[in-house]
Amino acid sequence: MRLLRNILNTIFIIGALVGMATFYLGHKDLGTYIILAAMAFKFIEVTVRLLKLEDKN
């Protein structure tokens, strides 16, 4: 599950960076939607962590 969490975190970071760049380069609505979509991946990762769905190794 650690691999899954790393993948979800990577998607979140890339999505947040792309969203911020889009937001500040002029497309504020689209940038906001991209950031919200990236946050959904972060919420999934946090849920996996809090429910302790990861391996104990």
Side-chain angles (χ1 to χ4, degrees):
M1 282 297 174
R2 183 174 295 284
L3 177 63
L4 174 64
R5 285 183 49 210
N6 286 340
I7 292 170
L8 291 171
N9 274 327
T10 302
I11 293 171
F12 164 70
I13 291 169
I14 292 169
L17 290 173
V18 169
M20 285 176 31
T22 304
F23 184 87
Y24 287 115
L25 292 175
H27 300 285
K28 295 197 185 302
D29 288 339
L30 180 60
T32 301
Y33 296 139
I34 293 171
I35 291 171
L36 289 173
M39 288 175 60
F41 286 98
K42 186 62 177 178
F43 290 145
I44 293 168
E45 187 272 330
V46 168
T47 301
V48 168
R49 184 171 14 122
L50 289 178
L51 294 178
K52 298 189 187 322
L53 295 177
E54 62 187 56
D55 296 332
K56 299 297 180 190
N57 296 335

